[in-house]
Amino acid sequence: LGKIPLLGWILRHYHILVDRKSIRSRGAALERMQQGLASGHSIFAFVEGKRHPGPDLLGAFSAGAFQLACSGPYPLAILTLAGTGEKMPTAPNILQGGPIHAWWDVMTAEEVAQYQPRELRDEARRRMMARLKAHYAERPFASMPKRP
C-alpha cells in the first residue's frame, strides 16, 4: 500500500505500516507507537491485523498493542465492528451499502494496570466476542455471507 501514489504518501505520514512477517518491521512499528504514546498521541491498532475470512467471528490478535497499553499503563478503547464482512467482501473493489454496527468498551489506565499483556489481549477479545455474539444472536448467521 505504501507504494501507491498519493495513498502511499498519506499512509507513510499518518499511518504506521507493518510487515507482519518481519521482526525488524514489527519492532520498528512498536517503537514508533511507543514514541507516539509518550508524546501524548492516541494509537489506533487493528489487532487482528487484517480482515478475518474464517468462520469464527474473530481472528487471532497480535500482542503488540496490548504490550504498549500495559507499558504505561495507558487507557484502552476497544472498538467492535459488526457487518463489515457483509459490506466489504474479499472481492476487490466491491462495496455494498448498509449499516455497520459499532460498540466501544473503554478500560481506564487503572483497569489496564491490573492485567499482563496476554491477559489484557484475552479480556479485549472476550469483550469483543460478547458484543458480536449478542449482535448475531438477534440476526441469524444465515444472513452473513458464506466464506470459503
Side-chain angles (χ1 to χ4, degrees):
L1 291 176
K3 295 178 182 178
I4 298 173
L6 186 59
L7 176 62
W9 183 88
I10 292 168
L11 290 175
R12 285 191 305 276
H13 287 84
Y14 298 102
H15 178 68
I16 299 172
L17 297 171
V18 181
D19 177 357
R20 295 185 188 282
K21 296 177 185 166
S22 166
I23 292 174
R24 179 180 287 166
S25 178
R26 290 191 319 247
L30 280 174
E31 186 175 315
R32 285 189 63 200
M33 288 188 281
Q34 184 65 52
Q35 291 169 353
L37 285 171
S39 298
H41 297 284
S42 296
I43 302 296
F44 191 91
F46 290 96
V47 295
E48 282 185 285
K50 60 183 178 180
R51 292 188 5 225
H52 176 64
D56 299 328
L57 294 174
L58 292 171
F61 285 11
S62 299
F66 303 104
Q67 291 171 343
L68 287 173
C70 289
S71 73
Y74 297 101
L76 183 66
I78 303 162
L79 173 62
T80 306
L81 298 173
T84 57
E86 297 95 326
K87 306 306 176 243
M88 299 183 298
T90 56
N93 302 320
I94 297 175
L95 297 177
Q96 299 177 15
I100 292 177
H101 304 272
W103 301 270
W104 286 100
D105 287 287
V106 177
M107 296 178 73
T108 65
E110 293 78 17
E111 289 175 287
V112 169
Q114 298 173 25
Y115 293 89
Q116 294 298 313
R118 288 177 191 237
E119 296 169 334
L120 184 61
R121 179 196 63 198
D122 294 346
E123 176 61 16
R125 184 181 175 80
R126 184 195 65 74
R127 290 180 184 207
M128 291 176 78
M129 189 64 79
R131 295 279 191 185
L132 291 170
K133 285 182 177 180
H135 171 78
Y136 286 113
E138 298 170 7
R139 294 159 188 82
F141 282 121
S143 67
M144 293 180 64
K146 302 291 185 244
R147 300 182 186 218

